[in-house]
Amino acid sequence: MIDEELVQLLTPEGERVTHPDYASTLTGEQILSMYRDMVIVRRLCNESTSLQRQGQLALWAPIQGQEGAQIGAGRALAPMDFTFPTYREHGIAWCRGVPPEDVLRLFRAVSTGGWDPQKYRHHVPTIVLGNQVLNAVGYAMGIQRDGADEAVLTFFGDGASSQGDVLEAFVWASSFNTPVVFFCQNNQFGISTPSSTQSRVPLFRRARGFGFPGVRVDGNDLLACYEVTRAALENARAGGGPTMIEAYTYRMGAHTTSDDPTRYRVDAEVEVWKHRDPIERIKALLVREYQTRPASFEAVAEEAEAFALKLRDDVLAMGRPDPLSMFDHVYAEPHPLVEEGRREMAALLAQEGAH
Amino acid sequence: MIDEELVQLLTPEGERVTHPDYASTLTGEQILSMYRDMVIVRRLCNESTSLQRQGQLALWAPIQGQEGAQIGAGRALAPMDFTFPTYREHGIAWCRGVPPEDVLRLFRAVSTGGWDPQKYRHHVPTIVLGNQVLNAVGYAMGIQRDGADEAVLTFFGDGASSQGDVLEAFVWASSFNTPVVFFCQNNQFGISTPSSTQSRVPLFRRARGFGFPGVRVDGNDLLACYEVTRAALENARAGGGPTMIEAYTYRMGAHTTSDDPTRYRVDAEVEVWKHRDPIERIKALLVREYQTRPASFEAVAEEAEAFALKLRDDVLAMGRPDPLSMFDHVYAEPHPLVEEGRREMAALLAQEGAH
Amino acid sequence: MTTTTMTMAKALNEGLRRAMERDPKVLLMGEDIGKLGGVFRITDGLQKDFGQDRVVDTPLAESAIVGTAVGLAIRGYRAVCEMQFDGFVFPAFDQIVSQVAKLQKRSDGVYTMGLVIRLPFQGGIGAIEHHSESPEAYFAHTPGLRVVSCSTPNDAYWMIQQSIESDDPIIFCEPKSRYWEKGEVDLENPPQGLYDAVVRRVGTDVTVVGYGSSVKTMLRAAETAQAEGVSLEVIDLRGIAPIDFPTLVASVQKTGRLIAVQEAPRTASISSEIVAELTERCFYSLRAPGLRVAGYHVPYPPARIEEEYRPSVGRILDAVDRVMDFEG
Amino acid sequence: MTTTTMTMAKALNEGLRRAMERDPKVLLMGEDIGKLGGVFRITDGLQKDFGQDRVVDTPLAESAIVGTAVGLAIRGYRAVCEMQFDGFVFPAFDQIVSQVAKLQKRSDGVYTMGLVIRLPFQGGIGAIEHHSESPEAYFAHTPGLRVVSCSTPNDAYWMIQQSIESDDPIIFCEPKSRYWEKGEVDLENPPQGLYDAVVRRVGTDVTVVGYGSSVKTMLRAAETAQAEGVSLEVIDLRGIAPIDFPTLVASVQKTGRLIAVQEAPRTASISSEIVAELTERCFYSLRAPGLRVAGYHVPYPPARIEEEYRPSVGRILDAVDRVMDFEG
Ligand SMILES: Cc1ncc(C[n+]2csc(CCOP(=O)(O)OP(=O)(O)O)c2C)c(N)n1
Ligand SMILES: Cc1ncc(C[n+]2csc(CCOP(=O)(O)OP(=O)(O)O)c2C)c(N)n1
Ligand SMILES: [Mg+2]
Ligand SMILES: [Mg+2]
């Protein structure tokens, strides 16, 4: 992984490396707290996977391996920034303060959103690949008009990088010099399709041709992801325009719980990436440089366990939505067809209830 | 116009300049013949504009100023190559052998196509900006599967360069290494919108970020356009994959006859570009280097006049299509709704005829 | 009552201006709408008065126009997007049906998608391909969207303002062939609700309903029919989605006969909807089946023969004969 | 007659295989259809047998899948494009309505657009948003396209082959919730024409017509109705555009009552079309207005409550009661 174009501040072994453009600004305390975030988010992911296996979730999209990218980027945000996720940004949601059980509503198939996007300044998940990237640029155009000291961070994958919407978003962001940071997690797969199908050259290079900088960062390096994202957001807030960040990482798990990765990739590759685990890397750093004690790690582990238990309880407590709720919020103003449908369904439900 | 990135083989004054990567291979005879093409195509354009003014055409999209780009590119094609135009590639159509009156069918509003695209290996005009660029890549995928020694040349404007379809075409062409050359005529406007709105950096640079070369050529330099296109097509046929060519030129006329460019640009700019006229430039070269006599130019001018007269006659002879023809070729196989419509209209027409 | 005579194009321009004056969050986006004032000059002069941040000449990409309008809506802005022509709305179709139509629901009502997509629609101006489409049925079929169409300068003036004020996303269909026709505009009092169908001519024998440029054609047909002793009630639908069925029902209960007119092709269209729903609501009132006069099942033809494609007075009268003579 | 039992998924796979064996110009394109065999495994094993040039794992862009299929068609190839889910066809909408639907016309018949766009459609598998849409009406409304849907493994096997053989572009709608249900497939004789509606159950009181996953629901409703003394004639539409109206007319003339069923929302939909057209054709045969049982006018809901959204046996029977009891 010696790559001149890759920003790295920490080796897979957890040793610091220097970079001409970026230096780590995080204290030991901050790093430990971000370590905690990564562990909790991984625990959330594992718990969700088992909930899915037990039939409690319809689907789950795991992020194992991408915790460094997400917590790094997520913690680089200022409170007033706004984020536009895909369906896989559980780490970002966590950083934004979205209640973890809300993240699971979509996957429990009880909601098509899950949380209050204005409250957490975190847009609802977008499943149609690339749509949210244009929405993010539009939001950033609003920031410009408000003269606000805010930026937008939007996410997409290596697969989605081929969608017209993402590419048009590049055109617009450049043309209007909007305060938006494009964060592409290149986890090397779009379901089964390798990222080489989407681009024969590193993805971050695309930005330059649209007139703004692109940076490739080691996506399994929390410190580097944090610094690169922070700098890009600061630059955006200061009127410097867009940046594209390609976080080069690896999807350790399946695409979703419906997926069978053995059909398209070999174990050996996965094994190689195990040695680049973003969590282990930070743990090694904490031990080496900050003498963090086992007790601290144990405390985090325990907290994660408690977190998982509560999460499970919260999810199991999520009842089936009232079918009539499908008629809510379709429109802001009254609509005859919605009201007719509501009446019809209410009558049918009453009829069934009467039997 | 001293621009290191711009390929030029001839100054606006018609003096040769050398370029490290491209040398002119054209003989005097060839250049004269291409001069003739440019003059005829410009004459076609002027005649069409007056036909439109006289109510004989519904619309016209002029190409004044872009003759060098189009005849340069058009004459670089091998007979078996296939071309995908926009609505403005009259010079390419000419080079492909499309009967000039066929080019006007669309604008006389008697057809939504105009010529046999397989016969001339020149696709019908595409008006929805960018659509044809993906179609071109698909055609090139077919060439690959046939193992044929052919390439595709597809056109779009600086405006269309912002469309998702064009950008997706870049992804695909690169991913499949298809034998396609993207020829972008940057005539500096998309109707009223300056090309700087579409990109803050020169457009040709976009290609590199998608993994294939981009070249900016002086679009008013016939020799340069010819050589750059020829080289790119040859490279494509040889399996070298796609190239993007940005022909940097200027739309001397209005966007179409419906447009009023005085609303959005100043005469001074147009004046500057008059001195870069692609036709005058070649004329100067022919005089200086090949001692072409006035008689030769006069012969071309006369030919162009005769051409225009015939074109006018051909256009005026184009009758209104049979309304029933709208039901032809909607489907390849019989369709009840089309047949029903045909019957209904036939009855209505008969009724009217009877009155 | 202060009324002024103006074209529909001018009425739209004035309506946009008033909306922008009233609410600083309103902004216009589109291709060539600034300096040029739009290819139909609907936004003429507005960039000069409201600046480039509120009248935005965009890069050339419709998906992006709508996609960024969504983001602006999330930020509290109200974007009015101009699609240069009907046939160029399709690159934006995905953003419209996947995001615009669904985000209020997906955010549980936290977001309002108060944006307007202006479409110069229908044919009749002798244009080339893709410039004369009638895509309204696609949008009407999509839950989460609303669709309206104006047919007079007065409606244009008021309906564009009402649409911009609405917290729901609205596809605003402008009959481009009527842009240059003049009419009275009442600058003080809005005519009626945005979705209300309006009886443009009272009649007793057949209800003829349509929208946009068809309204004038229907009125002409009514003139001719009158001369032949048949009285048509002409209804301007205005609200294409939702449709004001109570007004249509009242008319059909009176006339007992129904003809729905549109330029769009017939299959799974607005006229299909009108006939199906009114058949259900007025089964015993109908003395003949509701008929549809629509575009044929072919791509919009070259302009030289477009008048044979579009619903004409002749085709409407033909349908009138059929419902009047109907014996099954 | 050689029949074999297989799932619809397998039948589609076998049908694709036969088409590819028969015609070397047939190729498959889509996301994850190669090594993975598609998310539903419809193309399982085909890349191994036919190679990467004929089973193409594409970059992730639907407009490009369809846009390049157009170019391949011009070159004489027949592309079968898989949209991974119904909700992801919209990025390709522009290419479909602007190019696929129009290029035969625009080339005056020089081109044939013999391409197939496969859509796993409708809901019922507990999926998340955008994975359960029913977009068929958009395509049926568009002249130049054809739309079909299979409801049994045998139809799947034959209809996919017939679609690929057709020189017209076809939107091929696969009811994903039925992929894993087994049925008899006759490997030798095609059942009937691609657009022919088929009476799946003969009845006398009410004609109930639908397609895709609704067919099974209608048949279940017919069972229950039978028990209650009402005889439903169940028709599987198969051809969504064009619709086989003669078969429907024959049935309605017999039963005098009509119910059209679909998962898609009701406005300007296939069921609107069926009711409008049959009202016109069978005005005096109909003893009650044709009714529509459709998805509600809301975005497809979260899967936990999707069964309340989809046309259920209960909702169909409710409509049956209404047409049987109809007195206006
Ligand atoms: C427009 C669209 N097409 C197809 C899909 C189906 N799909 C869901 S995720 C996915 C792969 C996405 O890959 P990538 O963008 O790399 O993100 P990742 O899942 O790896 O995080 C596909 C094809 C979709 N959601 N949207
Ligand atoms: C998708 C789409 N949107 C809008 C238009 C309307 N339109 C026609 S030409 C044009 C400008 C195109 O500019 P450019 O691509 O630079 O080509 P040029 O006309 O300069 O040759 C526009 C906006 C269209 N034809 N297609
Ligand atoms: Mg990925
Ligand atoms: Mg241009």
Side-chain angles (χ1 to χ4, degrees), chain D residues 197-215:
Chain D
V198 166
V199 177
R200 294 282 181 212
R201 178 187 172 115
V202 177
T204 51
D205 297 327
V206 187
T207 299
V208 187
V209 55
Y211 47 89
S213 74
S214 300
V215 175

Side-chain angles (χ1 to χ4, degrees), chain B residues 80 82 84 111-119 121-132 134-139 141-146 148 150 165 168-169 171-172 175-176 325-337 340, chain D residues 25 27 29 52-54 56-75 77 91 94-95 98-99 101 103-112 142-146 165-169 195 241-243 277 281:
Chain B
M80 290 304 288
F82 208 99
F84 284 80
S111 166
T112 53
W115 56 83
D116 179 334
Q118 295 287 13
K119 179 167 173 196
R121 307 191 74 70
H122 186 55
H123 188 57
V124 285
T126 299
I127 291 167
V128 182
L129 295 166
N131 279 179
Q132 79 282 3
L134 277 173
N135 306 157
V137 171
Y139 191 95
M141 290 169 73
I143 292 179
Q144 287 179 308
R145 278 159 184 73
D146 292 343
E150 301 167 26
D165 272 16
E168 290 183 4
V171 172
W172 282 53
S175 188
F176 295 123
S325 68
M326 74 175 73
F327 299 103
D328 299 339
H329 306 305
V330 177
Y331 294 93
E333 294 165 10
H335 192 290
L337 289 178
E340 180 202 309
Chain D
K25 294 288 187 185
L27 54 85
M29 297 169 76
Q52 296 195 351
D53 269 2
R54 294 191 65 198
V56 187
D57 266 325
T58 67
L60 218 167
E62 289 77 8
S63 187
I65 294 173
V66 175
T68 56
V70 167
L72 281 157
I74 295 173
R75 182 80 191 180
Y77 285 85
D94 182 34
Q95 283 282 349
S98 303
Q99 302 305 327
L103 267 173
Q104 301 199 126
K105 178 72 198 171
R106 210 145 81 227
S107 68
D108 272 334
V110 169
Y111 296 150
T112 47
T142 309
L145 301 178
R146 294 173 183 267
E165 271 166 29
S166 167
D167 279 341
D168 286 320
Y195 305 97
I243 291 171
E277 185 71 20
R281 298 206 194 189

